[in-house]
Amino acid sequence: MDLHRLGIKVFCAECRPLDLPELIPVFHRFIQGSSLEGLLIDVADYSHVHHGPGILLIAHEGNYALEGSAGRRGLVYYAKRRSGGTLAERLATVCRRAFMACRTLAEQPEIDNRLVFSGEEIQLFANDRLLAPNTDRTLAALRPAFEALCDRLYRDRTWGITRNGAEPERFSVTLRASAPIGIDDLLTRLGD
């Protein structure tokens, strides 16, 4: 499957009170300092939308957001552009970009340990309902790439893959490891 519009949500393990608009100057500083990979362009505030996209950091290759859909806060990254490599390699790239953003965001002084990201549960999704409808058939086609990613990220743990929701929701899966794992450890494993 030639899927390129891929995304990930890395859930917050701990989330002390944080008003999303507090992230606007942080994301603007990311743009000014080129703090994340890719061409960072603008910031959009959707914090007024209940369980919406939150604060969006728009980039040429993909967008970042801290959002709270389904009542769970997390950092989302989704690729918007065609990229090279196999599907497994594209998934690894999406994960690496999200994990780097989680680490960079958590290190900001304004955040003051109010966001702690954990890697034992992540959600992967496809922003292409035509190519990847939310069906068991899509899961079967994508499963080898998801398994390769899990073997890489969770190699010393038991892990599982669960398809979320049903049509008309977009296709998404949750990857869960049997034990906690930190973002830095996942970044190291993606660098192998």
Side-chain angles (χ1 to χ4, degrees):
M1 186 176 289
D2 193 29
L3 189 60
H4 292 269
R5 290 186 288 177
L6 300 164
I8 178 176
K9 182 173 184 177
V10 183
F11 295 102
C12 291
E14 286 180 44
C15 196
R16 294 189 340 222
L18 174 76
D19 289 329
L20 289 178
E22 291 180 63
L23 295 175
I24 293 171
V26 174
F27 282 176
H28 278 293
R29 193 170 60 244
F30 285 3
I31 294 170
Q32 294 163 354
S34 299
S35 300
L36 300 175
E37 190 176 328
L39 176 62
L40 305 177
I41 299 169
D42 202 0
V43 178
D45 181 357
Y46 291 98
S47 61
H48 60 282
V49 179
H50 183 65
H51 296 301
I55 305 298
L56 199 64
L57 175 56
I58 300 162
H60 179 72
E61 298 81 5
N63 293 340
Y64 299 87
L66 189 72
E67 56 98 77
S69 64
R72 294 189 67 194
R73 190 165 276 181
L75 184 126
V76 171
Y77 173 79
Y78 61 91
K80 302 186 297 190
R81 305 270 180 239
R82 199 163 199 49
S83 60
T86 65
L87 180 58
E89 291 167 338
R90 291 190 299 269
L91 284 168
T93 296
V94 165
C95 289
R96 185 179 45 74
R97 286 184 176 185
F99 298 152
M100 287 296 297
C102 287
R103 181 169 69 189
T104 303
L105 184 58
E107 292 172 345
Q108 300 308 302
E110 300 93 326
I111 301 304
D112 191 31
N113 296 314
R114 291 184 288 165
L115 292 175
V116 177
F117 297 96
S118 179
E120 67 266 10
E121 179 185 8
I122 60 175
Q123 188 178 82
L124 298 171
F125 57 88
N127 266 347
D128 192 330
R129 293 173 198 258
L130 183 61
L131 190 57
N134 194 358
T135 64
D136 288 335
R137 187 173 179 184
T138 301
L139 177 59
L142 298 177
R143 184 175 285 281
F146 292 145
E147 289 176 348
L149 180 65
C150 285
D151 283 341
R152 198 166 170 187
L153 295 177
Y154 305 132
R155 60 181 169 233
D156 56 349
R157 291 163 169 76
T158 305
W159 50 262
I161 302 169
T162 306
R163 181 167 68 94
N164 303 316
E167 286 290 345
E169 294 177 28
R170 70 180 171 194
F171 177 82
S172 72
V173 294
T174 299
L175 311 182
R176 281 188 185 86
S178 59
I181 185 166
I183 297 300
D184 287 338
D185 291 331
L186 293 176
L187 280 166
T188 299
R189 290 171 184 209
L190 286 174
D192 289 352

